[in-house]
Each structure stands twice: as structure tokens, then as C-alpha cells.
Amino acid sequence: MRIIAGSHKGAAIRAPSGRDTRPTPDRVREAIFNLVGPVDGMRVLDLFAGSGAMGLEALSRGAARAVLVDHDARACATVRQNLEKLGMGGAEVVRSDALRYLDADVRRCARYDLIVIDPPYRLLPAILDRLGNALPRALAPGGRVIVETARDLEPALSLPMSTSRCYGSTRVTVFEAPVDHE
């Protein structure tokens, strides 16, 4: 795996060993960031971070801050190794259950411009309601949520869906928070 674009374009990154992590392929990451557009200065939350490829890609492309959350100790260690190797700042790696972390962030009134959700595909249907309740309160006005799923699952959240596209066996669905006009 490599960083696709930005200040660390072409840099190799590692994925945790084993079958528990399914890193987002380079081609799908590129497509996601083409859908999202510029991320300069954004605050990014990468839930179920795994290898951290999505958060690392966002930082390379100019995101101001990325919080990468995964419950697996090996995944968190791999993300930290990748950050150290690349010399990237602005990142926080958190070992936690993703939904518990998201709920705690909502209680702290934390807001993100981009939230990436790539859980084990079999887990997503069981967590959609909790995500739907928390995500609107965790997004900054105009923020976006990217959800990666299996091709045959189109997730529904309590946010307007912007687009849903398939890349091989992966579906990428983009949701957007309304823009405040206050």
C-alpha cells in the first residue's frame, strides 16, 4: 500500500498482519478522495482505522488533524509505526471501541469535517442505528461521512446521502451534513 497523493505521495505504508484488517485498496482510496475533494485544514475522524490508510492519506493531502480509532492493539501499533516512518504530525491514535469513542466525542462536543467509517462489513448492519444517532452531532456544518461497505449493502443514515458508488467488491457511500447559515 502507498499514499496516493499529497506531501507523502508514493510513500509505502504497512497494514497489520492477519485477517482482521481489510485495508482500503489504493484505487478505492483515490476514488474516495476524488469524491471528497480538497481536505486542506480539515479535522478527520477515521473510525475502525485498521492500517490508518484513510487518515494518513487525509493528512498527506493537507488535513489539519486526524484521529484514528481502532480497538485492535496491533492495528494501533501499525498506525503509529506508519506515522513515525512518515514523520507526520497532527495525528492521534486511539485504541478504543469506535462507537464508544464516537459517543464520547459527541458528549465532548467534538466536531469533524470528515468522518471515515470502514468497519468489518458483517458488523455494519448492527451498528447503523447508533451511527445514525451520533454522526449528525459529530459533524461540523457541511461535513461529510464516508462509509465503506460490501458492494451489496447500501447503508442508510440520518444524514442526506450525496452519492453511492461501487468499486469492485466495495461500495463507497457519502453523506453530508447540512451547512449552517447562522
Side-chain angles (χ1 to χ4, degrees), residues 102-127:
L102 181 60
D103 289 341
D105 258 5
V106 166
R107 286 191 301 277
R108 288 188 295 265
C109 297
R111 298 278 183 256
Y112 298 94
D113 304 298
L114 179 63
I115 300 176
V116 178
I117 301 169
D118 184 12
Y121 289 166
R122 71 188 183 293
L123 178 63
L124 188 64
I127 65 172

mmCIF file of all heavy atoms in Angstrom, residues 102-127:
data_model
loop_
_atom_site.group_PDB
_atom_site.id
_atom_site.type_symbol
_atom_site.label_atom_id
_atom_site.label_comp_id
_atom_site.label_asym_id
_atom_site.label_seq_id
_atom_site.Cartn_x
_atom_site.Cartn_y
_atom_site.Cartn_z
ATOM 1 N N LEU A 102 -16.858 7.484 19.536
ATOM 2 C CA LEU A 102 -17.736 8.440 18.867
ATOM 3 C C LEU A 102 -18.740 9.031 19.857
ATOM 4 O O LEU A 102 -18.953 10.245 19.885
ATOM 5 C CB LEU A 102 -18.460 7.765 17.701
ATOM 6 C CG LEU A 102 -19.405 8.629 16.880
ATOM 7 C CD1 LEU A 102 -18.669 9.803 16.229
ATOM 8 C CD2 LEU A 102 -20.101 7.784 15.823
ATOM 9 N N ASP A 103 -19.346 8.192 20.695
ATOM 10 C CA ASP A 103 -20.287 8.681 21.708
ATOM 11 C C ASP A 103 -19.613 9.653 22.663
ATOM 12 O O ASP A 103 -20.182 10.686 23.025
ATOM 13 C CB ASP A 103 -20.896 7.514 22.492
ATOM 14 C CG ASP A 103 -21.881 6.689 21.675
ATOM 15 O OD1 ASP A 103 -22.372 7.187 20.637
ATOM 16 O OD2 ASP A 103 -22.146 5.535 22.068
ATOM 17 N N ALA A 104 -18.380 9.342 23.088
ATOM 18 C CA ALA A 104 -17.646 10.237 23.988
ATOM 19 C C ALA A 104 -17.331 11.556 23.301
ATOM 20 O O ALA A 104 -17.427 12.625 23.917
ATOM 21 C CB ALA A 104 -16.355 9.560 24.467
ATOM 22 N N ASP A 105 -16.970 11.511 22.025
ATOM 23 C CA ASP A 105 -16.710 12.745 21.273
ATOM 24 C C ASP A 105 -17.962 13.612 21.183
ATOM 25 O O ASP A 105 -17.888 14.834 21.289
ATOM 26 C CB ASP A 105 -16.209 12.423 19.856
ATOM 27 C CG ASP A 105 -14.709 12.580 19.716
ATOM 28 O OD1 ASP A 105 -14.031 12.839 20.725
ATOM 29 O OD2 ASP A 105 -14.217 12.443 18.594
ATOM 30 N N VAL A 106 -19.097 12.987 20.986
ATOM 31 C CA VAL A 106 -20.358 13.734 20.924
ATOM 32 C C VAL A 106 -20.600 14.429 22.271
ATOM 33 O O VAL A 106 -20.973 15.606 22.306
ATOM 34 C CB VAL A 106 -21.525 12.803 20.536
ATOM 35 C CG1 VAL A 106 -22.868 13.461 20.800
ATOM 36 C CG2 VAL A 106 -21.409 12.406 19.066
ATOM 37 N N ARG A 107 -20.356 13.709 23.366
ATOM 38 C CA ARG A 107 -20.534 14.323 24.696
ATOM 39 C C ARG A 107 -19.559 15.486 24.903
ATOM 40 O O ARG A 107 -19.885 16.442 25.595
ATOM 41 C CB ARG A 107 -20.365 13.282 25.798
ATOM 42 C CG ARG A 107 -21.563 12.334 25.907
ATOM 43 C CD ARG A 107 -21.499 11.485 27.156
ATOM 44 N NE ARG A 107 -20.311 10.658 27.262
ATOM 45 C CZ ARG A 107 -20.147 9.472 26.689
ATOM 46 N NH1 ARG A 107 -21.111 8.964 25.936
ATOM 47 N NH2 ARG A 107 -19.032 8.792 26.854
ATOM 48 N N ARG A 108 -18.361 15.392 24.310
ATOM 49 C CA ARG A 108 -17.362 16.477 24.418
ATOM 50 C C ARG A 108 -17.615 17.587 23.405
ATOM 51 O O ARG A 108 -16.849 18.548 23.335
ATOM 52 C CB ARG A 108 -15.957 15.924 24.179
ATOM 53 C CG ARG A 108 -15.404 15.071 25.280
ATOM 54 C CD ARG A 108 -13.934 14.734 25.040
ATOM 55 N NE ARG A 108 -13.709 13.909 23.875
ATOM 56 C CZ ARG A 108 -13.601 12.579 23.886
ATOM 57 N NH1 ARG A 108 -13.715 11.921 25.003
ATOM 58 N NH2 ARG A 108 -13.386 11.912 22.773
ATOM 59 N N CYS A 109 -18.637 17.432 22.591
ATOM 60 C CA CYS A 109 -18.974 18.398 21.529
ATOM 61 C C CYS A 109 -17.875 18.514 20.483
ATOM 62 O O CYS A 109 -17.687 19.582 19.877
ATOM 63 C CB CYS A 109 -19.324 19.759 22.122
ATOM 64 S SG CYS A 109 -20.786 19.721 23.164
ATOM 65 N N ALA A 110 -17.123 17.433 20.270
ATOM 66 C CA ALA A 110 -16.102 17.432 19.221
ATOM 67 C C ALA A 110 -16.801 17.416 17.865
ATOM 68 O O ALA A 110 -17.848 16.799 17.702
ATOM 69 C CB ALA A 110 -15.203 16.215 19.362
ATOM 70 N N ARG A 111 -16.228 18.121 16.907
ATOM 71 C CA ARG A 111 -16.799 18.191 15.559
ATOM 72 C C ARG A 111 -15.708 17.888 14.529
ATOM 73 O O ARG A 111 -14.561 18.307 14.677
ATOM 74 C CB ARG A 111 -17.362 19.585 15.270
ATOM 75 C CG ARG A 111 -18.475 19.997 16.173
ATOM 76 C CD ARG A 111 -19.787 19.391 15.680
ATOM 77 N NE ARG A 111 -20.900 19.833 16.498
ATOM 78 C CZ ARG A 111 -21.487 19.073 17.401
ATOM 79 N NH1 ARG A 111 -21.069 17.869 17.616
ATOM 80 N NH2 ARG A 111 -22.510 19.531 18.088
ATOM 81 N N TYR A 112 -16.113 17.179 13.496
ATOM 82 C CA TYR A 112 -15.190 16.794 12.427
ATOM 83 C C TYR A 112 -15.751 17.225 11.083
ATOM 84 O O TYR A 112 -16.961 17.237 10.879
ATOM 85 C CB TYR A 112 -14.971 15.275 12.419
ATOM 86 C CG TYR A 112 -14.339 14.773 13.688
ATOM 87 C CD1 TYR A 112 -15.124 14.306 14.740
ATOM 88 C CD2 TYR A 112 -12.967 14.797 13.861
ATOM 89 C CE1 TYR A 112 -14.554 13.865 15.921
ATOM 90 C CE2 TYR A 112 -12.381 14.358 15.029
ATOM 91 C CZ TYR A 112 -13.182 13.897 16.057
ATOM 92 O OH TYR A 112 -12.608 13.469 17.229
ATOM 93 N N ASP A 113 -14.831 17.536 10.172
ATOM 94 C CA ASP A 113 -15.216 17.894 8.807
ATOM 95 C C ASP A 113 -15.387 16.657 7.936
ATOM 96 O O ASP A 113 -16.117 16.681 6.949
ATOM 97 C CB ASP A 113 -14.145 18.800 8.184
ATOM 98 C CG ASP A 113 -13.898 20.031 9.029
ATOM 99 O OD1 ASP A 113 -14.847 20.816 9.196
ATOM 100 O OD2 ASP A 113 -12.766 20.184 9.543
ATOM 101 N N LEU A 114 -14.686 15.582 8.299
ATOM 102 C CA LEU A 114 -14.742 14.342 7.539
ATOM 103 C C LEU A 114 -14.649 13.175 8.514
ATOM 104 O O LEU A 114 -13.728 13.130 9.336
ATOM 105 C CB LEU A 114 -13.585 14.274 6.532
ATOM 106 C CG LEU A 114 -13.484 13.013 5.670
ATOM 107 C CD1 LEU A 114 -14.705 12.867 4.762
ATOM 108 C CD2 LEU A 114 -12.200 13.039 4.841
ATOM 109 N N ILE A 115 -15.611 12.268 8.413
ATOM 110 C CA ILE A 115 -15.593 11.049 9.229
ATOM 111 C C ILE A 115 -15.604 9.870 8.277
ATOM 112 O O ILE A 115 -16.469 9.769 7.400
ATOM 113 C CB ILE A 115 -16.790 10.977 10.194
ATOM 114 C CG1 ILE A 115 -16.769 12.180 11.154
ATOM 115 C CG2 ILE A 115 -16.769 9.662 10.973
ATOM 116 C CD1 ILE A 115 -17.966 12.258 12.091
ATOM 117 N N VAL A 116 -14.630 8.985 8.453
ATOM 118 C CA VAL A 116 -14.497 7.796 7.623
ATOM 119 C C VAL A 116 -14.860 6.583 8.472
ATOM 120 O O VAL A 116 -14.324 6.413 9.570
ATOM 121 C CB VAL A 116 -13.057 7.649 7.091
ATOM 122 C CG1 VAL A 116 -12.920 6.392 6.261
ATOM 123 C CG2 VAL A 116 -12.633 8.877 6.301
ATOM 124 N N ILE A 117 -15.771 5.766 7.949
ATOM 125 C CA ILE A 117 -16.230 4.584 8.678
ATOM 126 C C ILE A 117 -16.047 3.376 7.780
ATOM 127 O O ILE A 117 -16.683 3.263 6.732
ATOM 128 C CB ILE A 117 -17.712 4.737 9.078
ATOM 129 C CG1 ILE A 117 -17.867 5.987 9.942
ATOM 130 C CG2 ILE A 117 -18.206 3.489 9.796
ATOM 131 C CD1 ILE A 117 -19.299 6.389 10.168
ATOM 132 N N ASP A 118 -15.161 2.472 8.207
ATOM 133 C CA ASP A 118 -14.880 1.266 7.432
ATOM 134 C C ASP A 118 -14.795 0.076 8.379
ATOM 135 O O ASP A 118 -13.728 -0.488 8.605
ATOM 136 C CB ASP A 118 -13.584 1.444 6.645
ATOM 137 C CG ASP A 118 -13.287 0.268 5.736
ATOM 138 O OD1 ASP A 118 -14.166 -0.586 5.536
ATOM 139 O OD2 ASP A 118 -12.150 0.201 5.230
ATOM 140 N N PRO A 119 -15.953 -0.316 8.956
ATOM 141 C CA PRO A 119 -15.940 -1.440 9.902
ATOM 142 C C PRO A 119 -15.861 -2.777 9.175
ATOM 143 O O PRO A 119 -16.026 -2.827 7.947
ATOM 144 C CB PRO A 119 -17.300 -1.301 10.598
ATOM 145 C CG PRO A 119 -18.178 -0.758 9.530
ATOM 146 C CD PRO A 119 -17.298 0.202 8.744
ATOM 147 N N PRO A 120 -15.635 -3.842 9.936
ATOM 148 C CA PRO A 120 -15.816 -5.154 9.301
ATOM 149 C C PRO A 120 -17.211 -5.180 8.685
ATOM 150 O O PRO A 120 -18.188 -4.789 9.328
ATOM 151 C CB PRO A 120 -15.702 -6.126 10.484
ATOM 152 C CG PRO A 120 -14.890 -5.379 11.508
ATOM 153 C CD PRO A 120 -15.267 -3.945 11.340
ATOM 154 N N TYR A 121 -17.309 -5.588 7.444
ATOM 155 C CA TYR A 121 -18.570 -5.490 6.711
ATOM 156 C C TYR A 121 -19.724 -6.170 7.441
ATOM 157 O O TYR A 121 -20.840 -5.677 7.451
ATOM 158 C CB TYR A 121 -18.432 -6.086 5.319
ATOM 159 C CG TYR A 121 -17.575 -5.275 4.362
ATOM 160 C CD1 TYR A 121 -17.128 -5.837 3.187
ATOM 161 C CD2 TYR A 121 -17.221 -3.954 4.625
ATOM 162 C CE1 TYR A 121 -16.350 -5.119 2.283
ATOM 163 C CE2 TYR A 121 -16.447 -3.227 3.737
ATOM 164 C CZ TYR A 121 -16.017 -3.812 2.566
ATOM 165 O OH TYR A 121 -15.259 -3.098 1.687
ATOM 166 N N ARG A 122 -19.460 -7.305 8.090
ATOM 167 C CA ARG A 122 -20.527 -8.040 8.779
ATOM 168 C C ARG A 122 -21.072 -7.265 9.972
ATOM 169 O O ARG A 122 -22.182 -7.497 10.413
ATOM 170 C CB ARG A 122 -20.019 -9.411 9.217
ATOM 171 C CG ARG A 122 -19.015 -9.342 10.355
ATOM 172 C CD ARG A 122 -18.366 -10.675 10.679
ATOM 173 N NE ARG A 122 -17.480 -10.582 11.800
ATOM 174 C CZ ARG A 122 -16.325 -9.904 11.837
ATOM 175 N NH1 ARG A 122 -15.918 -9.239 10.775
ATOM 176 N NH2 ARG A 122 -15.578 -9.884 12.917
ATOM 177 N N LEU A 123 -20.301 -6.319 10.500
ATOM 178 C CA LEU A 123 -20.695 -5.561 11.689
ATOM 179 C C LEU A 123 -21.612 -4.384 11.368
ATOM 180 O O LEU A 123 -22.435 -3.982 12.194
ATOM 181 C CB LEU A 123 -19.427 -5.055 12.397
ATOM 182 C CG LEU A 123 -19.574 -4.208 13.634
ATOM 183 C CD1 LEU A 123 -20.252 -5.007 14.740
ATOM 184 C CD2 LEU A 123 -18.208 -3.729 14.096
ATOM 185 N N LEU A 124 -21.511 -3.832 10.188
ATOM 186 C CA LEU A 124 -22.193 -2.576 9.876
ATOM 187 C C LEU A 124 -23.702 -2.593 10.110
ATOM 188 O O LEU A 124 -24.221 -1.674 10.744
ATOM 189 C CB LEU A 124 -21.882 -2.118 8.448
ATOM 190 C CG LEU A 124 -22.407 -0.721 8.132
ATOM 191 C CD1 LEU A 124 -21.729 0.328 8.996
ATOM 192 C CD2 LEU A 124 -22.223 -0.405 6.675
ATOM 193 N N PRO A 125 -24.451 -3.586 9.650
ATOM 194 C CA PRO A 125 -25.905 -3.530 9.873
ATOM 195 C C PRO A 125 -26.278 -3.387 11.355
ATOM 196 O O PRO A 125 -27.246 -2.706 11.689
ATOM 197 C CB PRO A 125 -26.410 -4.858 9.289
ATOM 198 C CG PRO A 125 -25.400 -5.199 8.242
ATOM 199 C CD PRO A 125 -24.079 -4.744 8.815
ATOM 200 N N ALA A 126 -25.512 -3.995 12.235
ATOM 201 C CA ALA A 126 -25.814 -3.960 13.663
ATOM 202 C C ALA A 126 -25.503 -2.607 14.309
ATOM 203 O O ALA A 126 -26.026 -2.306 15.380
ATOM 204 C CB ALA A 126 -25.046 -5.066 14.387
ATOM 205 N N ILE A 127 -24.688 -1.795 13.670
ATOM 206 C CA ILE A 127 -24.289 -0.513 14.289
ATOM 207 C C ILE A 127 -24.870 0.710 13.593
ATOM 208 O O ILE A 127 -24.645 1.839 14.032
ATOM 209 C CB ILE A 127 -22.754 -0.386 14.389
ATOM 210 C CG1 ILE A 127 -22.101 -0.325 13.002
ATOM 211 C CG2 ILE A 127 -22.173 -1.500 15.246
ATOM 212 C CD1 ILE A 127 -20.622 -0.013 13.024
#
